[in-house]
Amino acid sequence: MRKPPKPTRPARKRPLPAQSEGKGERSPRPDASQSERKARTGASQSERKARPDAPGRAASVAPKDAKQATPSEIKTIPAAISTARAGKPASDPTAQRVVRSSERFAEKARLHRRLLLRKYLIGAVILAAAVTGAWLVFFSSVFSLRSGEVSVMGAGEFVDKSEVVAVLDSEVGTPLARLDLDEISQRVAQVRGVSSGIVRRDWPHGVRVNVAQRTPVAAVKSDDTYVLLDADGVRVGEVAEAPDDLALAKVPLKKERESSLAAVLTVLDAIPPELREEITEIGADTRDTVYFALEDDVRVEWGSADDSALKVSVLSVLRQEDAKVYDVSAPTLPVTRNK
């Protein structure tokens, strides 16, 4: 007869791994590495082989030679591995820094392009404004000289304003910026009675002319008129009668007498106005024999035009004595005569 089978003992639950002596430390986590799990499984199998009489019973005490995993040997799984196990791609900090740097460089490039475009636009606007302004000022009729916009200042008795304005008739319609003021001034100076002229622009459409009038110092009879001459011998004007405030020059207007006339005019320009007003007539046979007559039939022998300032001083002293003739042709040796 067969022996009845021995009753089997129910399998005991596997005791929990002993906690480490460290305070607050727990047993290895269920997600320990596969190598650690294999080590524990091998230790259990070796324990069962060592005790064949108790199959399936877990040992209460682990064999001494079995190597148990300590908390210090349990290593934390890197974030990259845990992320990969979770099905998520691992993030690379270096790649993220490269992406951020690329974005910053792209933003700087866009900003630089915007600034460069703004600079080009501003330059184009300035250039267009400059070209437009230059065209308006130099080539258009916006700022051109208009008829009736010429003003003459300084003209007196011997200057005809209409003659000065006529000089600028040919410039009507020309932009003011293109007027040659020096050339116009030279033409104005050629007008009779004008000593010099200064021409200025009077924006936006006019011109202002300042003239200096020539001052006549003598009148010379020529046919039926009297020609008025200034100190340079330039004709200032013509009158029908001799002016009372001008000396009458007894020198004919002939080419061979030009030196004598020039000496007379030089003397008249050198003597003071109060003495000039007393002269009734003046003449000269040569350039060194100038003479003039004063009121009360007094004659003054002046000689040449040299040392005129000294001769004026000497004559003022000599006239303190009554005489009919005062000879100052040699101012250092003056002579007075009664006839």
Side-chain angles (χ1 to χ4, degrees):
M1 292 180 67
R2 293 182 180 178
K3 293 182 180 180
K6 294 181 179 180
T8 58
R9 296 180 179 179
R12 296 181 180 179
K13 294 182 179 180
R14 296 176 63 183
L16 296 173
Q19 294 182 354
S20 60
E21 296 178 359
K23 186 176 180 180
E25 295 183 358
R26 297 181 179 180
S27 61
R29 294 190 302 271
D31 56 348
S33 63
Q34 187 176 3
S35 60
E36 294 175 353
R37 289 199 299 272
K38 286 182 179 182
R40 289 197 297 271
T41 304
S44 300
Q45 291 178 358
S46 61
E47 183 181 355
R48 292 193 189 98
K49 289 179 182 181
R51 297 180 62 182
D53 56 345
R57 185 179 62 179
S60 59
V61 180
K64 295 180 180 181
D65 56 349
K67 186 177 180 181
Q68 296 182 357
T70 61
S72 60
E73 294 176 348
I74 299 173
K75 298 180 180 180
T76 304
I77 301 175
I81 298 176
S82 61
T83 306
R85 287 182 179 179
K88 298 179 180 179
S91 59
D92 189 356
T94 304
Q96 293 178 359
R97 288 195 296 271
V98 171
V99 171
R100 288 194 294 269
S101 299
S102 301
E103 292 177 353
R104 288 196 298 269
F105 291 151
E107 181 64 24
K108 288 182 179 179
R110 288 193 295 271
L111 179 60
H112 178 70
R113 287 194 295 270
R114 287 197 296 269
L115 294 176
L116 193 61
L117 179 61
R118 182 182 300 176
K119 184 185 297 184
Y120 286 156
L121 288 176
I122 294 175
V125 171
I126 295 175
L127 180 61
V131 172
T132 303
W135 179 80
L136 289 175
V137 173
F138 289 94
F139 299 100
S140 71
S141 60
V142 177
F143 299 102
S144 61
L145 178 62
R146 296 182 181 178
S147 179
E149 295 290 337
V150 178
S151 59
V152 181
M153 304 178 64
E157 179 183 359
F158 304 105
V159 176
D160 189 352
K161 289 185 179 181
S162 61
E163 294 183 5
V164 178
V165 174
V167 173
L168 292 161
D169 287 343
S170 61
E171 305 295 340
V172 173
T174 304
L176 297 185
R178 294 173 56 187
L179 293 177
D180 189 348
L181 302 183
D182 293 336
E183 190 269 338
I184 296 174
S185 298
Q186 292 176 2
R187 284 191 286 158
V188 169
Q190 295 175 3
V191 176
R192 187 176 60 175
V194 177
S195 175
S196 62
I198 299 175
V199 182
R200 292 187 176 91
R201 299 178 181 92
D202 190 10
W203 298 93
H205 307 293
V207 168
R208 185 175 58 209
V209 183
N210 294 326
V211 298
Q213 181 178 256
R214 291 184 179 274
T215 303
V217 295
V220 180
K221 185 174 177 58
S222 177
D223 297 332
D224 295 335
T225 60
Y226 290 89
V227 178
L228 306 181
L229 302 177
D230 68 349
D232 297 328
V234 178
R235 295 191 179 192
V236 176
E238 294 179 3
V239 292
E241 297 180 0
D244 295 334
D245 57 344
L246 292 180
L248 180 61
K250 296 290 187 177
V251 180
L253 295 174
K254 295 181 180 180
K255 187 175 181 180
E256 59 271 12
R257 301 294 300 274
E258 288 182 351
S259 59
S260 301
L261 181 60
V264 168
L265 297 177
T266 303
V267 171
L268 287 174
D269 186 54
I271 62 180
E274 57 272 13
L275 179 59
R276 189 187 309 156
E277 293 176 356
E278 298 181 28
I279 298 176
T280 57
E281 63 179 27
I282 186 171
D285 295 330
T286 63
R287 60 181 301 178
D288 297 326
T289 59
V290 178
Y291 67 90
F292 54 83
L294 300 177
E295 298 175 353
D296 299 331
D297 296 331
V298 175
R299 180 184 177 93
V300 178
E301 300 289 344
W302 196 266
S304 66
D306 299 336
D307 301 325
S308 293
L310 178 59
K311 292 178 181 179
V312 169
S313 301
V314 173
L315 179 61
S316 62
V317 175
L318 293 178
R319 291 186 67 185
Q320 295 178 3
E321 297 182 4
D322 293 334
K324 292 295 183 178
V325 177
Y326 298 99
D327 188 351
V328 293
S329 57
T332 57
L333 298 172
V335 178
T336 60
R337 297 190 298 269
N338 290 326
K339 59 178 181 178

